[in-house]
Amino acid sequence: MMNDLQFLTWVRGPGLDIAIGIFLLGVLWRLFEIYSLGRKPDLSAPRHASGASGLHTVFRRSLPPPGMLKRSPVSYIGGYVFHFGLAVVVFLFAPHILLITNLTGLSWPGLPSQFVDLAAVVTMAAMVVVLADRINKPAKRFLSTFEDWFTWAVTFLPVLTGWMAVQHLLLPYTLMLAIHILSVEILLVVLPFTKLFHAFTLFGSRWYNGRVNGHKGVPV
Amino acid sequence: MSATLEKGIRVLKEVIDAPIASYFNSCVHCGICAEACLFYTETGDPKYTPIHKLEPLRRIYEQEYTLLGRLKKMAGLSKPVTDGELDEWQELVYNSCTLCGRCSAVCPVGNDIVYMVRKFREGMSASGHAPEGIKGAVNRTITVGSPMNVKLPAVQAQMKHVEEDYGIPIPLDAEGAEYMVMLSSMEIMNFPEYLAAVAKIMHQAGKTWTLCSTAFEATNAGIQIGNSDLARVIVSRIVEGAEKLKVKTVISPECGHAYTALRWEGANLIGRPFAFEVKHIIEVLGEFREQGLLRTEGFETDRLTFHDPCQLVRRGGVIQQPRTLMNMVAKNFVEMPDAGYMNWCCSGGGGASAIEEGEELRLQAFKKKKSQFDAVKPDRVVTACANCRIVLEESLEHYQMDLPVIGLTEMIAEHIPDQAPQAATKS
């Protein structure tokens, strides 16, 4: 039986290597599997219009189209808050930057830890609200499968355990930190093979959609 | 060729491409597409959520084109797509989808959902799960030449009427004309004013134009049912006619899907670019106006609004022209909420109006359009699609709303002075 320190050493060493390996190979494989299917060229005569292209849609689709914010406020606002919150927590927390620096040599300034702390709490709150909306809204509940609940948990746990580790809650710091890192590793392994992969494919999807509309001269 | 499940599944495998794979992988089940679909907003039934309408296609994608899906299939852990399931999906893919494309316009991850519905219909048709109503329309278009059994003599009779009433000759099979004008059966049977309007407009503009005896019908039920082989046969008639008459431009009538079929799908169906241009009549009117070839007098003074046909506007990019044209002849033109790019469908596009058993649902979905009308309380509705027009008329009648629906081209033509000076002599 491993003690806490041995557990932490494993998740920091071989565990992390395995997870990053599966993540990188998984992402490359999935991208190949998807985009190598190709598509037929469009032979219809294009109609040019300014502001209509794949790239326009990649950016523009981040904003709700007219009338939609009112129809699905929780999806939009909750979605913004938890995506931005995740980005802040993952990429602007000093210890995370240190880890990335050790792995890649890249470095950038972080935010004060009290701020990241707040961001973690807000992120978790937004995720809980979004989860409640999934249970509450008929169309969302109807669409939901095991994967939706599972990926929610897999995304939520790293935030929760990271926050608890920093706050020294419930478990000894070493053990909580080890659990936190393990939960991130699970997230990395799961990401390429679940709907979490939208983090990569959404750019392609928006681009395809925008390109078809750009071909027709419809600014989308 | 008989339709079978095997054939349907083979077709579904064939239609899956990188965009579809990317779309299925991007979906996070956020349900926002439901909020954009009038069949969901007006019924509240989650089965009408657009992305759910593609569930069998998604499973085929997963089982055939992903490593994990293939492993699951080999281990016997995946649920195969069955005839019974596709039969159940007929209502979702046809009756409750007008291919309006609002879902594709709102999806936050950018999924072009209606593109997938259009492709899914290919497999539905090949497996024999298309609705009888659209099947009939396609068969009539293939065998007779029109979904409503309209034959050339009916067109000729109309030509004669217009010639007598307006004293303007209607050219038939005139080689070398600049424009070849297409009609929809709906216009030939129910809205004969359209042909007269085009004749007046062309006469004033001084343009050469013609009808084609072998290709007068523009609508393409092959696109609506989702059968590219049949859609190709129908489009080929028009291509042959246009090439035989050596016209520069083929004008799609006031019909949304005819425009999509010819303008965006046509070249892809026949496998080569067209040697001629395709324009919707509203685009042509817009050009004539810019070139000073379209001159009107007088104004409509009652309260008018414009219903955007989905295929012309959201899916076709002709957004500004109808508004400019409306303002040319209307003093009191009001826009409905969500007008233009985000407009709501008439509830009967994409072949849905041909499905008898879908009528009740269609009328329920129409409440969305009704609420748009109620918001601005127009005296009349103007549109630029004969199918929208007939669906609006029938639905308004059902809800006992006294709201006439007219075509934009006719309304413009009514404002063309009778003794218009001819521009024909200038170049």
Side-chain angles (χ1 to χ4, degrees), chain A residues 140-152:
Chain A
K140 267 187 172 176
R141 187 173 60 231
F142 179 79
L143 289 176
S144 299
T145 61
F146 170 76
E147 190 180 318
D148 293 284
W149 315 113
F150 176 68
T151 50
W152 182 90

Side-chain angles (χ1 to χ4, degrees), chain A residues 29-30 33-47 57 61-62 65-68 71-72 75-76 133-134 137-140 142-145 147-148 192-198 201-210 212-213 215-220, chain B residues 16-19 21-23 25-32 34-36 40-41 44 46-47 49 51-52 61 65-68 70 102-112 259 263-265 267-268 271-274 283 313-319 338 341-342 368:
Chain A
W29 170 254
R30 294 298 333 276
E33 191 178 75
I34 293 163
Y35 294 103
S36 67
L37 286 175
R39 74 203 148 105
K40 288 187 187 146
D42 192 338
L43 301 173
S44 65
R47 182 206 284 133
T57 303
R61 215 34 94 83
S62 298
M68 293 309 291
R71 287 207 65 99
S72 211
S75 300
Y76 281 109
D133 196 47
R134 182 168 289 289
K137 245 187 166 193
K140 267 187 172 176
F142 179 79
L143 289 176
S144 299
T145 61
E147 190 180 318
D148 293 284
F193 307 102
T194 58
K195 72 168 188 176
L196 298 176
F197 200 53
H198 76 277
T201 53
L202 118 151
F203 301 101
S205 297
R206 288 180 178 181
W207 191 81
Y208 281 134
N209 188 335
V212 169
N213 284 290
H215 183 85
K216 294 177 175 179
V218 192
V220 181
Chain B
I16 291 168
D17 55 7
S22 185
Y23 298 153
N25 278 286
S26 300
C27 180
V28 292
H29 288 170
C30 73
I32 286 176
E35 305 296 337
Y40 174 75
T41 62
K47 72 175 176 180
T49 303
I51 195 71
H52 174 67
Y61 160 69
Y65 295 104
T66 70
L67 183 64
L68 283 187
R70 279 196 297 261
R102 271 187 123 254
C103 49
S104 296
V106 305
C107 175
V109 294
N111 290 352
D112 194 347
Y259 181 60
R263 178 68 179 87
W264 306 116
E265 292 216 26
N268 296 309
R272 64 179 166 88
F274 288 165
E283 281 182 285
V313 177
R314 181 164 40 249
R315 304 296 288 171
V318 184
I319 304 174
D338 296 326
Y341 178 69
M342 288 303 287
K368 186 44 103 174

Side-chain angles (χ1 to χ4, degrees), chain B residues 225-251:
Chain B
I225 199 171
N227 186 320
S228 286
D229 294 332
L230 299 178
R232 183 180 307 117
V233 172
I234 300 169
V235 159
S236 297
R237 286 181 193 149
I238 301 169
V239 175
E240 280 159 25
E243 287 175 349
K244 184 181 73 193
L245 298 177
K246 302 183 184 69
V247 296
K248 270 196 214 135
T249 303
V250 171
I251 302 182

Side-chain angles (χ1 to χ4, degrees), chain B residues 145-150 183-190 217-219:
Chain B
S146 138
M148 294 168 72
N149 273 333
V150 174
L183 302 166
S184 67
S185 289
M186 195 71 85
E187 284 155 341
I188 303 166
M189 300 303 286
N190 297 341
E217 173 65 56
T219 60

